[in-house]
């Protein structure tokens, strides 16, 4: 039995971190949008770690915010602890991380969705994607509802044919015992989509009342708060913070695991899916890093509403009895009461090389996708892709230019380019080391890099856009002023330099030159800078960084110029690689499969050598000349 409803412009499948961003983007760009999800009670659910952000992931959240996405605002409302990580290192790796009240996070995002114009919510399982002549026509739910539409954004996360594994038992449910999606994979295979089977895992949750915190190191949030969203100020989001706790595994823990490793589904073969290398289970850590006598364990509150504590660093799928011994061997957890067992989850996702950099499927027009479904791992990676997939579905329907962020503009650009260009056979997790231009792609300047693009897309207001233009101008003017303000080697200056353990001046210099000294900063030279006007903290931060790291920044900008040269060499859609003489077979096969949009993207495909790129460049010149003569 089926029933056809009224048509929508866009249907988003799944209200996880990706689906929420995709649906909000489409609805805010005035498209009639429907979001269909298995359960209205698990919108923006955090089935694993109770935090948003962290190294490189904090960068993604700030970029989502600068483009007009929701995640940054949502965590600023629902965080219970906030911390800037890596502050002892350079600004490129400074990363904000906030512990979230999980239920509050989900409830708050649901409220946003339910009060967004042009957005309709439906609880149902999407079982089929209806395609005609290579174009999206509609979706069909398991209960028979047919929703005609012009575009679909698939954001099914870890639910497709999900299987949760606890030692030698398993059941076909989604995370936290939620219903799995057991029909859609077959429909996707039927329309020619190549699927992968991935896995990830989560640790146990322990009752706070059974933990001895006196045996752990308390981890506090920062007193000086920095919001994720550029629309917020520290005062606006200030609230009382909770603590996290640090403890460690020990030899006893490792012995318990080693003694039962044959019962681990990872090693018994009961788990087939491929797991994330950079988010290993405790079993994997003990086996692969056998020389380590302890591993860090972070005890993190799941929220203010519950006593459940997340045991970060000990995700596992070992049998229940082993889990009980293993967790109770950790200092402070001797009497631990496990509220939820640790488990691993296998699920279906796609080979993302089937996607264009716009996150549209190459084979099916109007079908887009984002999130864990694309082979990534993490709330932040999911939200970033959901936003871009939603934006590009909207741009397509509005007849506007699609948006592809390149690797020199954003971590989001690195994330998507890596997924659609480089083969990944495990869940892809973002890391700062993946971003070759990371000194330019800092979390502190995401607004300066991307707000304009968010404004051009239509997700950023005029007022916010103007605010960023003003900030940009203030930064430029202040840097120019500091670099052109001369000061003499007078007594006052020398006294300040001595106070700051900085070498005295032999002759006059500029304020900019002083700030470049590692031991000095914009703040420290305040007393000798007579014409200084009051500026906001975020402007001062930019002034400091741009003056102090000017040399490195200039060098990276030069590298970006080189990068853009190849990125700018667009490859015609109809180029027939089989006709390119002296191109190696492997390169031909890869180029035909991936259909890169530029020579730059082609150069990043594994199996395409620099020699192949030279051949391609020559052939493209001839191709262009021939085309212009015709
Ligand atoms: C057990 C577990 C452990 C994890 N461990 C880690 C980790 O260690 N590190 C890490 O970075 N990330 C981890 N994650 C991943 C993290 O949760 C995801 O990255 C993130 O939630 C992905 O967001 P998403 O929007 O892509 O999908 P999800 O958050 O999974 O949301 C998908 C949504 O789609 C809905 N849906 C699915 N199929 C259908 C359908 N056919 N019809 C209608 N609705 C549908 C679901 O109900 C759900 O609401 C873990 C996840 C789980 C479950």
């Amino acid at each position: 039995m089926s029933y056809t409803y009224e048509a929508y412009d866009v249907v988003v499948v799944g209200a996880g971190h990706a689906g929420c961003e995709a649906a909000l983007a489409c609805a805010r760009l005035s498209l009639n949008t429907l979001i269909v999800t298995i359960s209205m009670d698990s919108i923006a659910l955090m089935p694993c770690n109770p935090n948003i952000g962290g190294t490189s992931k904090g960068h993604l959240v700030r970029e989502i915010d600068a483009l007009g996405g929701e995640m940054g605002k949502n965590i600023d409302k629902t965080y219970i602890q906030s911390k800037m990580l890596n502050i002892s290192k350079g600004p490129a790796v400074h990363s904000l991380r906030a512990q979230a009240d999980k239920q509050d996070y989900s409830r708050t995002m649901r409220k946003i969705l339910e009060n967004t114009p042009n957005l309709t919510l439906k609880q149902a399982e999407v079982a089929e994607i209806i395609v005609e002549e290579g174009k999206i026509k509609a979706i069909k739910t398991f209960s028979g509802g047919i929703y005609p539409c012009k575009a679909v954004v698939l954001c099914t996360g870890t639910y497709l044919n999900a299987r949760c594994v606890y030692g030698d038992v398993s059941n076909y449910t989604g995370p936290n015992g939620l219903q799995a999606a057991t029909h859609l994979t077959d429909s996707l295979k039927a329309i020619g989509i190549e699927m992968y089977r991935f896995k990830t895992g989560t640790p146990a949750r322990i009752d706070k009342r059974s933990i001895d915190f006196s045996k752990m190191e308390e981890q506090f949030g920062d007193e000086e708060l920095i919001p994720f969203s550029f629309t917020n100020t520290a005062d606006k989001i200030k609230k009382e913070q909770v603590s996290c706790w640090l403890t460690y595994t020990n030899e006893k823990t490792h012995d318990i695991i080693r003694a039962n490793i044959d019962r681990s589904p990872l090693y018994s073969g009961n788990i087939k899916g491929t797991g994330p290398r950079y988010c290993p289970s405790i079993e994997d850590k003990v086996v692969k890093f056998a020389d380590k006598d302890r591993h860090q364990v972070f005890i993190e509150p799941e929220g203010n509403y519950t006593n459940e504590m997340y045991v970060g660093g000990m995700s596992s799928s070992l049998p229940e009895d082993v889990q009980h011994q293993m967790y109770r061997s950790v200092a402070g957890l001797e009497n631990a009461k496990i509220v939820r067992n640790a488990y691993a989850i296998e699920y279906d996702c796609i080979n993302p090389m089937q996607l264009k950099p716009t996150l549209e499927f190459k084979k099916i027009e109007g079908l887009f996708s984002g999130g864990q479904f694309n082979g990534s791992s993490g709330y932040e990676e999911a939200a970033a892709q959901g936003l871009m997939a939603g934006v590009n579905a909207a741009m397509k329907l509005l007849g506007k230019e699609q948006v592809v962020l390149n690797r020199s503009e954003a971590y989001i650009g690195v994330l998507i380019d890596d997924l659609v260009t480089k083969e990944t056979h495990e869940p892809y997790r973002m890391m700062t080391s993946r971003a070759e231009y990371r000194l330019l792609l800092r979390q502190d300047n995401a607004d300066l890099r991307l707000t304009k693009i968010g404004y051009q897309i239509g997700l950023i207001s005029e007022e916010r856009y103007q605010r960023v233009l003003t900030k940009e101008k203030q930064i430029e003017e202040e840097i120019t002023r500091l670099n052109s303000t001369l000061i003499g080697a007078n007594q006052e200056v020398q006294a300040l330099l001595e106070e700051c353990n900085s070498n005295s001046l032999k002759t006059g210099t500029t304020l900019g030159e002083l700030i470049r000294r590692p031991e000095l900063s914009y703040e420290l030279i305040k007393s000798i800078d007579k014409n200084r006007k009051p500026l906001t903290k975020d402007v001062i931060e930019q002034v400091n960084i741009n003056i102090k790291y000017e040399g490195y920044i200039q060098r990276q900008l030069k590298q970006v110029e080189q990068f853009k040269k190849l990125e700018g060499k667009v490859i015609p859609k109809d180029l027939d690689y089989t006709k390119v003489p002296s191109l190696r077979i492997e390169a031909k096969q890869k180029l035909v499969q991936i259909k890169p949009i530029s020579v730059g993207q082609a150069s990043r495909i594994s199996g395409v050598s620099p020699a192949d790129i030279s051949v391609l460049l020559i052939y493209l010149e001839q191709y262009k000349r021939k085309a212009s003569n015709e």
Side-chain angles (χ1 to χ4, degrees), residues 588-615:
K588 274 186 187 155
Q589 288 165 344
K590 285 283 177 73
L591 291 166
V592 168
Q593 181 202 3
I594 295 172
K595 294 189 183 55
I597 58 172
S598 69
V599 177
Q601 190 189 5
S603 68
R604 294 188 290 276
I605 297 172
S606 66
V608 177
S609 70
D612 294 316
I613 293 298
S614 319
V615 165

Side-chain angles (χ1 to χ4, degrees), residues 13-19 36-39 42 45 47-49 57 124-126 155-160 175 181 184 200-202 279 343 345 370-373 377-379 382 429:
V13 181
H17 305 278
V36 186
T37 200
I38 285 175
S39 163
S42 64
L45 175 78
C48 189
N49 47 309
K57 290 167 180 272
E125 179 194 344
V126 174
C155 303
T156 56
T158 55
Y159 288 73
L160 291 192
L184 189 55
T200 187
T202 196
C279 242
Y343 66 95
I345 186 166
Q372 196 103 0
F373 175 77
S377 185
Y379 312 134
R429 183 202 151 109

